[in-house]
Amino acid sequence: MATGIERLHFMVGEWDIQAYNRGDNGEWVASPLPKETQIKSVFEGAFLQEDEVPMQVGEHKIRFFILWSYDKYRDTYRMLACDDNDGLADILEGNFEADTNTIVVSNRQTGTHMLDETGKPVYLRLTSTQNNPDSFTDEMHESVDNGASWFPIYRAEHTRKR
């Protein structure tokens, strides 16, 4: 089995995306964006980079820049997500679930979370699962109670372009 950043190299490539937002009744509702992306290995494979990911959140179009890294000293994966809406540089940290192809990262411990309109923390958790060599699924969850409960808000199914 690959180790370190190599465990994330399944993400490298050009991808078609079917994105979903959570509907009012808890169902997944297809989102018009993003439709595709490219994830590159940079600095001789030390990082993974996704340059511009447009997302549709309600009526708003938000663009993200994403960078993945692996901290070999702390055995921790990090995802840096920067957006053009809030100008937030959000850092999510975590690791692979034991004996799986699923990585789980969150910003609950990093201090980079958003605040709601009342000033309370809004935490994010991303789960990314390699389904097979040609597909992976990302699911984003949100917590407003310090991680006691998580609610799914976004899902992206990636299929490798041929």
Side-chain angles (χ1 to χ4, degrees), residues 87-156:
L88 183 66
D90 195 4
I91 300 171
L92 289 78
E93 294 182 328
N95 218 311
F96 279 85
E97 293 179 337
D99 303 316
T100 72
N101 290 326
T102 299
I103 186 169
V104 180
V105 292
S106 86
N107 63 2
R108 200 170 77 71
Q109 301 296 327
T110 65
T112 60
H113 53 274
M114 300 178 297
L115 301 174
D116 71 11
E117 53 281 342
T118 67
K120 291 184 182 176
V122 178
Y123 298 105
L124 295 176
R125 179 180 72 190
L126 174 73
T127 302
S128 187
T129 302
Q130 181 184 18
N131 305 314
N132 61 57
D134 294 320
S135 74
F136 70 96
T137 301
D138 287 340
E139 198 166 291
M140 186 67 74
H141 294 81
E142 184 177 87
S143 177
V144 294
D145 59 7
N146 200 30
S149 56
W150 294 92
F151 302 96
I153 58 172
Y154 175 78
R155 181 179 177 90

